[in-house]
Amino acid sequence: NMRLLVLMKQDFKNLATNPTIFTFCFIYPPALIFLFGFLFSNLYGSDIVTSYDFYGVTLMFYMLLGTITITPNTFMEERVKSANLRIAYAPVSRFTIYISKILSSYLFMGITFTLDICIMQICGLVNYGGKEHLLNVLLLMYCMLAFSVTLGGAVCVVLKSEELTNKILTIIATAFAVFSGIFFPISSLGKEVANFANLSPLKWVIDCAFQIIYDGVSSTYIPIIACLMICSIFFLLIIHLFYRPEDYLK
């Protein structure tokens, strides 16, 4: 579909030329991983898992979840409203409009995060599974990204408010991160809280990634991928039901 490709090209360009989004997706991940890895290197005495390895996985997937606040920008950011106005009155189906924004967001973030992971793996800064398991880790990342992109889009089309959407999505991402054990051991808060933390999809993905990298296999790999894709399809259905181009022209 030529119209879809044209819209995707424009949406992709808007993301790539936004300094904040480009920095968050491409520059920020390796910088943050290097900083945390350096600051906490003394806490990791093992040659098997270094501080860079630990934060390379945990922070990368945390930032993948953080991309839920980026998709709404393709719908509601101030500088794309004029383009949205022209598209809304053009002979283009609403499916083509919203799927363009979802696909362009997914492709842009997929490319930038893949480059980050491959660069850090090749440079030896972070172990993402090497030649044997890197593709499995990347597939897990792509499924997590699909979950994040579609979740951000779903909340966006339901609330139809950029400020409220970003506030709620930031709270969701922070809650998932806290209960995934990125910042401190959840077990220290008690058994009840630890059990509740098991509901965090971010914790599932991070635990699974570590199992793949260091054990070469994970019994939860296929179930987690299936769960993330089912959730993504559900969020896409919500977007399809609630999206109206005219809601984003004010």
Side-chain angles (χ1 to χ4, degrees):
N1 189 314
M2 188 57 66
R3 289 175 177 173
L4 176 60
L5 292 176
V6 170
L7 291 180
M8 284 181 61
K9 181 180 177 181
Q10 184 60 46
D11 287 327
F12 190 95
K13 180 181 177 182
N14 288 335
L15 289 169
T17 56
N18 184 311
T20 302
I21 292 176
F22 182 82
T23 300
F24 181 87
C25 294
F26 188 60
I27 307 298
Y28 198 44
L32 195 65
I33 289 166
F34 180 82
L35 177 63
F36 271 70
F38 177 76
L39 291 176
F40 298 103
S41 58
N42 292 334
L43 300 179
Y44 294 79
S46 172
D47 292 332
I48 299 176
V49 183
T50 67
S51 58
Y52 295 99
D53 293 333
F54 177 78
Y55 290 109
V57 173
T58 57
L59 291 180
M60 182 59 73
F61 279 101
Y62 168 57
M63 297 195 72
L64 274 169
L65 182 63
T67 60
I68 56 177
T69 61
I70 292 178
T71 307
N73 280 271
T74 62
F75 287 90
M76 298 181 294
E77 189 188 13
E78 196 63 38
R79 71 180 192 140
V80 303
K81 285 187 176 180
S82 59
N84 286 342
L85 178 63
R86 293 193 298 271
I87 295 169
Y89 292 106
V92 182
S93 68
R94 68 185 187 91
F95 169 80
T96 301
I97 298 174
Y98 78 71
I99 205 65
S100 162
K101 298 181 182 301
I102 295 298
L103 289 176
S104 59
S105 298
Y106 183 81
L107 286 174
F108 175 75
M109 291 182 277
I111 291 171
T112 51
F113 278 100
T114 299
L115 286 173
D116 282 338
I117 286 178
C118 290
I119 290 171
M120 286 187 283
Q121 174 69 63
I122 293 171
C123 292
L125 182 66
V126 179
N127 176 19
Y128 285 109
K131 295 180 180 179
E132 297 83 3
H133 310 299
L134 178 60
L135 288 179
N136 290 331
V137 174
L138 286 175
L139 179 58
L140 189 63
M141 182 198 81
Y142 297 144
C143 293
M144 184 70 186
L145 183 59
F147 173 88
S148 300
V149 168
T150 53
L151 173 58
V155 174
C156 166
V157 299
V158 170
L159 298 180
K160 298 178 176 63
S161 165
E162 185 176 12
E163 183 179 358
L164 182 58
T165 296
N166 284 332
K167 284 182 179 178
I168 290 178
L169 291 176
T170 299
I171 292 173
I172 291 174
T174 303
F176 282 160
V178 169
F179 287 109
S180 67
I182 290 178
F183 305 115
F184 57 86
I186 291 299
S187 57
S188 63
L189 299 179
K191 184 177 180 181
E192 292 77 11
V193 177
N195 289 334
F196 181 76
N198 288 326
L199 299 176
S200 169
L202 184 58
K203 186 176 187 302
W204 307 344
V205 173
I206 289 175
D207 288 347
C208 180
F210 277 123
Q211 289 171 6
I212 293 170
I213 293 169
Y214 295 103
D215 298 333
V217 66
S218 171
S219 60
T220 61
Y221 186 63
I222 299 301
I224 287 175
I225 285 179
C227 183
L228 290 173
M229 296 314 298
I230 290 171
C231 289
S232 300
I233 293 170
F234 173 71
F235 296 143
L236 275 175
L237 180 60
I238 292 177
I239 295 171
H240 180 74
L241 293 174
F242 285 89
Y243 178 72
R244 298 290 182 276
E246 59 271 17
D247 294 334
Y248 306 92
L249 306 178
K250 299 178 182 179

